[in-house]
Amino acid sequence: MKASQFSENAQLIAFVLQKGSEWDPNVIELLEKTWGPIRHKGRLFAFDKTDYYKPEMGDDLYRGVVSFEKEIPPETIAEEKERSNALELTTASAEAPELRHVNIDIGYMDMDKVVLPSYKRGPFKLYAGKGVWLDMLLTYAKGVFHPTAWAFDDFMRNPYQHDLQLIREKFKKARKNGCNPEILA
């Protein structure tokens, strides 16, 4: 059996950290210009259990998850990570280009898990090439997404559970109906 027979597209998703409890229309527009139409836009949740992003982004931070109609071969996630980093930099101010206004954690979901790429290595991350490490943060079993032991705090609490289940169902339905959106590299 050829290795390519085991590859299947994954649902492109993004966990977006931004200011304010309502989705910023400018952020949504940037996401859609970069990755195409949004299939699901989740609820935003207060990102208030850590001050990690406060020096860069300030207070009143919220994070939510979106999925795109775009599906990708999982092995191309490093290119999507490059795009997300470039997009974040376009939101910085001219006076302080190192200060982002949005943090976009691009990733993918398949029927079994949620994976986010990172430029930071770690003991539970797998190297994917191009300086990118893959972090499997959630696994799916018995109808629920379960955090891995090394997942970040917000994934441990997983306020995104409902939205992730909806994203998975929409992805599953699109696959069943044979809707394979054009893959944009």
Side-chain angles (χ1 to χ4, degrees):
M1 196 175 281
K2 294 194 288 185
S4 63
Q5 290 177 307
F6 293 104
S7 181
E8 60 186 20
N9 287 343
Q11 174 65 69
L12 186 65
I13 62 173
F15 289 90
V16 179
L17 182 68
Q18 61 156 51
K19 279 189 159 298
S21 61
E22 298 294 325
W23 283 102
D24 181 336
N26 295 322
V27 169
I28 296 300
E29 182 181 344
L30 286 171
L31 293 171
E32 289 186 319
K33 279 184 180 177
T34 305
W35 291 289
I38 289 176
R39 181 179 280 164
H40 179 86
K41 182 170 59 173
R43 187 172 156 220
L44 289 168
F45 297 93
F47 193 81
D48 56 3
K49 302 298 184 210
T50 177
D51 290 334
Y52 183 81
Y53 291 98
K54 186 176 181 177
E56 181 180 8
M57 298 178 70
D59 291 315
D60 194 34
L61 297 178
Y62 285 77
R63 178 146 69 173
V65 62
V66 298
S67 70
F68 301 91
E69 289 182 13
K70 179 178 180 178
E71 298 173 10
I72 62 165
E75 62 271 18
T76 64
I77 195 63
E79 288 100 35
E80 303 305 338
K81 177 66 175 169
E82 289 173 11
R83 281 186 190 183
S84 69
N85 276 21
L87 184 59
E88 288 175 356
L89 295 177
T90 67
T91 69
S93 67
E95 304 82 50
E98 72 283 358
L99 303 180
R100 298 171 294 172
H101 292 275
V102 65
N103 175 275
I104 304 164
D105 287 322
I106 199 75
Y108 70 81
M109 171 193 291
D110 62 22
M111 298 308 290
D112 307 308
K113 62 194 159 294
V114 171
V115 176
L116 298 183
S118 173
Y119 289 122
K120 300 174 197 142
R121 69 177 308 279
F124 299 107
K125 296 177 182 179
L126 300 175
Y127 189 64
K130 297 185 179 187
V132 173
W133 298 82
L134 300 179
D135 199 354
M136 182 176 62
L137 294 175
L138 300 165
T139 59
Y140 185 82
K142 298 184 180 180
V144 178
F145 284 93
H146 302 275
T148 57
W150 55 88
F152 299 111
D153 182 62
D154 61 326
F155 290 100
M156 287 291 202
R157 292 181 288 111
N158 199 8
Y160 320 110
Q161 181 73 247
H162 179 71
D163 288 312
L164 289 170
Q165 289 173 325
L166 291 174
I167 289 168
R168 186 179 184 277
E169 284 306 309
K170 290 175 181 180
F171 175 52
K172 186 177 177 181
K173 184 177 179 181
R175 290 179 62 197
K176 183 178 180 181
N177 291 337
C179 298
N180 291 325
E182 183 179 335
I183 299 171
L184 306 172

